[in-house]
Amino acid sequence: VSSTCRNRSILWRYYDNIVELVELSWDRDLANNALRLCMSPEYGPLLSNLNIYELASHVVILFTTVTTVFRLVLPHPETIVKDPKLSSAGKGLQPSILTFARDDSLKGNNAASIITGTSDVILSTCSSYSWIGME
């Protein structure tokens, strides 16, 4: 494990229709490391499981409501460090992968899939999102 990825973890919690994610590193401070997603009530209640998958170039976060599976695809920390454009997003600090949870990754048909079988619906995944503690 490289020093970029060593001692990093993502903590998460659900309450009401809100998902909160916080990326922590024991080795360095991370910029924009906390994210709050307010889910639209039309999807029903959040289920109590969230899965995080680490791939070579991405980290994928999956969570569900009773009707929908949501997917958030974020760049892997190694990818961020190797790309000057991505690494400059931290403004002096190493950016958290949560920095790259933007409107295009949170909305649209690539971000969610309705379980009920209706496929011709354009989804609005989150009614709002914000970075917790941003200045």
Side-chain angles (χ1 to χ4, degrees), residues 100-118:
F100 304 98
R102 304 250 187 255
D103 198 42
D104 57 342
S105 63
L106 295 169
K107 295 185 178 182
N109 288 335
N110 291 331
S113 178
I114 296 176
I115 298 170
T116 59
T118 306

Side-chain angles (χ1 to χ4, degrees), residues 3-102:
S3 63
T4 303
C5 299
R6 188 182 66 223
N7 295 326
R8 288 174 83 151
S9 59
I10 296 176
L11 303 177
W12 59 272
R13 74 176 180 157
Y14 289 156
Y15 60 95
D16 297 329
N17 65 334
I18 297 172
V19 178
E20 287 186 348
L21 302 162
V22 178
E23 183 180 14
L24 300 174
S25 171
W26 295 105
D27 296 334
R28 59 182 47 94
D29 291 331
L30 299 173
N32 304 322
N33 68 324
L35 178 67
R36 178 180 293 136
L37 305 170
C38 298
M39 307 306 293
S40 176
E42 68 191 60
Y43 299 116
L46 290 161
L47 299 179
S48 62
N49 200 12
L50 182 137
N51 293 294
I52 301 172
Y53 300 96
E54 182 178 8
L55 306 173
S57 61
H58 291 88
V59 174
V60 179
I61 300 172
L62 297 173
F63 56 95
T64 58
T65 67
V66 293
T67 62
T68 310
V69 176
F70 296 95
R71 178 182 71 172
L72 185 57
V73 179
L74 303 168
H76 192 279
E78 288 288 339
T79 304
I80 295 169
V81 170
K82 292 177 184 176
D83 186 332
K85 182 180 175 186
L86 295 177
S87 61
S88 66
K91 298 178 182 172
L93 296 174
Q94 183 175 345
S96 163
I97 64 170
L98 299 176
T99 301
F100 304 98
R102 304 250 187 255

